[in-house]
mmCIF file of all heavy atoms in Angstrom:
data_model
loop_
_atom_site.group_PDB
_atom_site.id
_atom_site.type_symbol
_atom_site.label_atom_id
_atom_site.label_comp_id
_atom_site.label_asym_id
_atom_site.label_seq_id
_atom_site.Cartn_x
_atom_site.Cartn_y
_atom_site.Cartn_z
ATOM 1 N N ALA A 517 -27.395 79.789 -17.341
ATOM 2 C CA ALA A 517 -26.746 81.100 -17.116
ATOM 3 C C ALA A 517 -26.328 81.340 -15.654
ATOM 4 O O ALA A 517 -25.428 82.040 -15.434
ATOM 5 C CB ALA A 517 -27.852 82.150 -17.475
ATOM 6 N N ALA A 518 -27.018 80.759 -14.731
ATOM 7 C CA ALA A 518 -26.657 80.920 -13.319
ATOM 8 C C ALA A 518 -25.375 80.169 -13.033
ATOM 9 O O ALA A 518 -24.465 80.679 -12.201
ATOM 10 C CB ALA A 518 -27.832 80.352 -12.462
ATOM 11 N N LEU A 519 -25.125 79.098 -13.644
ATOM 12 C CA LEU A 519 -24.028 78.316 -13.360
ATOM 13 C C LEU A 519 -22.731 79.004 -13.983
ATOM 14 O O LEU A 519 -21.673 79.095 -13.411
ATOM 15 C CB LEU A 519 -23.973 76.834 -13.949
ATOM 16 C CG LEU A 519 -25.021 75.900 -13.319
ATOM 17 C CD1 LEU A 519 -25.156 74.648 -14.118
ATOM 18 C CD2 LEU A 519 -24.471 75.584 -11.855
ATOM 19 N N ILE A 520 -22.899 79.588 -15.181
ATOM 20 C CA ILE A 520 -21.784 80.337 -15.792
ATOM 21 C C ILE A 520 -21.576 81.564 -14.994
ATOM 22 O O ILE A 520 -20.299 81.947 -14.838
ATOM 23 C CB ILE A 520 -22.203 80.649 -17.307
ATOM 24 C CG1 ILE A 520 -22.213 79.382 -18.166
ATOM 25 C CG2 ILE A 520 -21.296 81.696 -17.928
ATOM 26 C CD1 ILE A 520 -22.772 79.575 -19.563
ATOM 27 N N ALA A 521 -22.457 82.178 -14.481
ATOM 28 C CA ALA A 521 -22.287 83.419 -13.708
ATOM 29 C C ALA A 521 -21.577 83.095 -12.455
ATOM 30 O O ALA A 521 -20.925 83.940 -11.809
ATOM 31 C CB ALA A 521 -23.718 84.132 -13.341
ATOM 32 N N ASP A 522 -21.560 81.808 -11.979
ATOM 33 C CA ASP A 522 -21.038 81.402 -10.686
ATOM 34 C C ASP A 522 -19.491 81.207 -10.956
ATOM 35 O O ASP A 522 -18.748 80.909 -9.959
ATOM 36 C CB ASP A 522 -21.597 80.178 -10.150
ATOM 37 C CG ASP A 522 -21.547 80.180 -8.550
ATOM 38 O OD1 ASP A 522 -21.542 81.174 -8.013
ATOM 39 O OD2 ASP A 522 -21.746 78.983 -8.053
ATOM 40 N N ILE A 523 -19.028 81.025 -12.161
ATOM 41 C CA ILE A 523 -17.680 80.708 -12.519
ATOM 42 C C ILE A 523 -16.678 81.760 -11.959
ATOM 43 O O ILE A 523 -15.623 81.413 -11.271
ATOM 44 C CB ILE A 523 -17.436 80.398 -13.942
ATOM 45 C CG1 ILE A 523 -18.123 79.288 -14.490
ATOM 46 C CG2 ILE A 523 -15.927 80.315 -14.321
ATOM 47 C CD1 ILE A 523 -18.077 78.949 -15.877
ATOM 48 N N ASP A 524 -16.913 83.072 -12.232
ATOM 49 C CA ASP A 524 -15.987 84.086 -11.848
ATOM 50 C C ASP A 524 -15.802 84.170 -10.329
ATOM 51 O O ASP A 524 -14.637 84.313 -9.939
ATOM 52 C CB ASP A 524 -16.440 85.545 -12.397
ATOM 53 C CG ASP A 524 -16.178 85.651 -13.847
ATOM 54 O OD1 ASP A 524 -15.428 84.808 -14.419
ATOM 55 O OD2 ASP A 524 -16.743 86.435 -14.623
ATOM 56 N N PRO A 525 -16.829 84.181 -9.653
ATOM 57 C CA PRO A 525 -16.589 84.094 -8.095
ATOM 58 C C PRO A 525 -15.790 82.850 -7.600
ATOM 59 O O PRO A 525 -14.997 82.944 -6.726
ATOM 60 C CB PRO A 525 -18.016 84.099 -7.446
ATOM 61 C CG PRO A 525 -18.912 84.645 -8.589
ATOM 62 C CD PRO A 525 -18.230 84.269 -9.801
ATOM 63 N N LEU A 526 -16.051 81.761 -8.256
ATOM 64 C CA LEU A 526 -15.287 80.540 -7.958
ATOM 65 C C LEU A 526 -13.812 80.679 -8.220
ATOM 66 O O LEU A 526 -12.974 80.364 -7.379
ATOM 67 C CB LEU A 526 -15.874 79.282 -8.681
ATOM 68 C CG LEU A 526 -15.174 77.988 -8.534
ATOM 69 C CD1 LEU A 526 -15.288 77.452 -7.153
ATOM 70 C CD2 LEU A 526 -15.577 76.980 -9.539
ATOM 71 N N VAL A 527 -13.517 81.167 -9.384
ATOM 72 C CA VAL A 527 -12.121 81.399 -9.840
ATOM 73 C C VAL A 527 -11.439 82.414 -8.873
ATOM 74 O O VAL A 527 -10.209 82.294 -8.505
ATOM 75 C CB VAL A 527 -11.919 81.783 -11.261
ATOM 76 C CG1 VAL A 527 -10.563 82.109 -11.653
ATOM 77 C CG2 VAL A 527 -12.572 80.601 -12.185
ATOM 78 N N ALA A 528 -12.233 83.464 -8.717
ATOM 79 C CA ALA A 528 -11.623 84.487 -7.715
ATOM 80 C C ALA A 528 -11.276 84.021 -6.375
ATOM 81 O O ALA A 528 -10.274 84.407 -5.760
ATOM 82 C CB ALA A 528 -12.641 85.745 -7.533
ATOM 83 N N GLU A 529 -12.142 83.092 -5.782
ATOM 84 C CA GLU A 529 -11.789 82.499 -4.525
ATOM 85 C C GLU A 529 -10.594 81.628 -4.643
ATOM 86 O O GLU A 529 -9.716 81.603 -3.735
ATOM 87 C CB GLU A 529 -12.937 81.667 -4.063
ATOM 88 C CG GLU A 529 -12.839 80.919 -2.731
ATOM 89 C CD GLU A 529 -14.008 80.117 -2.369
ATOM 90 O OE1 GLU A 529 -15.118 80.419 -2.775
ATOM 91 O OE2 GLU A 529 -13.800 79.132 -1.517
ATOM 92 N N PHE A 530 -10.463 80.900 -5.784
ATOM 93 C CA PHE A 530 -9.305 80.011 -6.008
ATOM 94 C C PHE A 530 -8.000 80.782 -6.093
ATOM 95 O O PHE A 530 -7.027 80.490 -5.503
ATOM 96 C CB PHE A 530 -9.512 79.223 -7.310
ATOM 97 C CG PHE A 530 -8.496 78.173 -7.627
ATOM 98 C CD1 PHE A 530 -8.447 77.004 -6.898
ATOM 99 C CD2 PHE A 530 -7.616 78.348 -8.583
ATOM 100 C CE1 PHE A 530 -7.518 76.021 -7.074
ATOM 101 C CE2 PHE A 530 -6.684 77.404 -8.850
ATOM 102 C CZ PHE A 530 -6.624 76.231 -8.187
ATOM 103 N N VAL A 531 -8.087 81.972 -6.762
ATOM 104 C CA VAL A 531 -7.012 82.807 -6.925
ATOM 105 C C VAL A 531 -6.537 83.478 -5.653
ATOM 106 O O VAL A 531 -5.309 83.576 -5.404
ATOM 107 C CB VAL A 531 -7.220 83.967 -8.109
ATOM 108 C CG1 VAL A 531 -6.077 84.963 -8.069
ATOM 109 C CG2 VAL A 531 -7.263 83.287 -9.378
ATOM 110 N N THR A 532 -7.545 83.771 -4.917
ATOM 111 C CA THR A 532 -7.273 84.344 -3.539
ATOM 112 C C THR A 532 -6.461 83.434 -2.713
ATOM 113 O O THR A 532 -5.461 83.794 -1.960
ATOM 114 C CB THR A 532 -8.578 84.758 -2.825
ATOM 115 O OG1 THR A 532 -9.230 85.825 -3.638
ATOM 116 C CG2 THR A 532 -8.253 85.269 -1.441
ATOM 117 N N MET A 533 -6.781 82.147 -2.654
ATOM 118 C CA MET A 533 -6.054 81.195 -1.809
ATOM 119 C C MET A 533 -4.679 80.935 -2.448
ATOM 120 O O MET A 533 -3.679 80.780 -1.693
ATOM 121 C CB MET A 533 -6.884 79.888 -1.925
ATOM 122 C CG MET A 533 -6.206 78.808 -1.005
ATOM 123 S SD MET A 533 -7.211 77.374 -0.707
ATOM 124 C CE MET A 533 -6.136 76.406 0.349
ATOM 125 N N ARG A 534 -4.530 80.920 -3.871
ATOM 126 C CA ARG A 534 -3.269 80.843 -4.463
ATOM 127 C C ARG A 534 -2.229 82.046 -4.025
ATOM 128 O O ARG A 534 -1.069 81.795 -3.722
ATOM 129 C CB ARG A 534 -3.365 80.754 -5.989
ATOM 130 C CG ARG A 534 -3.766 79.400 -6.425
ATOM 131 C CD ARG A 534 -4.212 79.458 -7.888
ATOM 132 N NE ARG A 534 -3.122 79.880 -8.765
ATOM 133 C CZ ARG A 534 -2.471 79.032 -9.547
ATOM 134 N NH1 ARG A 534 -2.777 77.788 -9.672
ATOM 135 N NH2 ARG A 534 -1.569 79.424 -10.463
ATOM 136 N N ARG A 535 -2.875 83.144 -3.957
ATOM 137 C CA ARG A 535 -2.150 84.302 -3.560
ATOM 138 C C ARG A 535 -1.732 84.247 -1.980
ATOM 139 O O ARG A 535 -0.569 84.572 -1.744
ATOM 140 C CB ARG A 535 -3.034 85.651 -3.702
ATOM 141 C CG ARG A 535 -2.232 86.921 -3.352
ATOM 142 C CD ARG A 535 -3.141 88.092 -3.625
ATOM 143 N NE ARG A 535 -3.690 88.186 -4.918
ATOM 144 C CZ ARG A 535 -5.015 88.028 -5.258
ATOM 145 N NH1 ARG A 535 -5.874 87.913 -4.218
ATOM 146 N NH2 ARG A 535 -5.457 88.223 -6.443
ATOM 147 N N ALA A 536 -2.652 83.776 -1.175
ATOM 148 C CA ALA A 536 -2.276 83.597 0.222
ATOM 149 C C ALA A 536 -1.262 82.525 0.402
ATOM 150 O O ALA A 536 -0.188 82.857 1.215
ATOM 151 C CB ALA A 536 -3.546 83.192 1.082
ATOM 152 N N GLU A 537 -1.314 81.372 -0.279
ATOM 153 C CA GLU A 537 -0.284 80.384 -0.284
ATOM 154 C C GLU A 537 0.967 80.956 -0.768
ATOM 155 O O GLU A 537 2.072 80.586 -0.275
ATOM 156 C CB GLU A 537 -0.705 79.203 -0.983
ATOM 157 C CG GLU A 537 -1.912 78.440 -0.391
ATOM 158 C CD GLU A 537 -1.536 77.632 0.816
ATOM 159 O OE1 GLU A 537 -0.437 77.252 0.835
ATOM 160 O OE2 GLU A 537 -2.371 77.585 1.664
ATOM 161 N N GLY A 538 0.889 81.722 -1.839
ATOM 162 C CA GLY A 538 2.097 82.363 -2.362
ATOM 163 C C GLY A 538 2.827 83.396 -1.386
ATOM 164 O O GLY A 538 4.075 83.437 -1.462
ATOM 165 N N ALA A 539 2.086 84.061 -0.630
ATOM 166 C CA ALA A 539 2.726 84.909 0.368
ATOM 167 C C ALA A 539 3.480 84.075 1.406
ATOM 168 O O ALA A 539 4.629 84.489 1.766
ATOM 169 C CB ALA A 539 1.649 85.732 1.078
#
Side-chain angles (χ1 to χ4, degrees):
L519 290 170
I520 291 174
D522 212 28
I523 290 175
D524 283 345
L526 175 71
V527 175
E529 180 180 334
F530 186 73
V531 171
T532 298
M533 185 170 182
R534 282 166 62 108
R535 186 182 300 114
E537 293 289 327

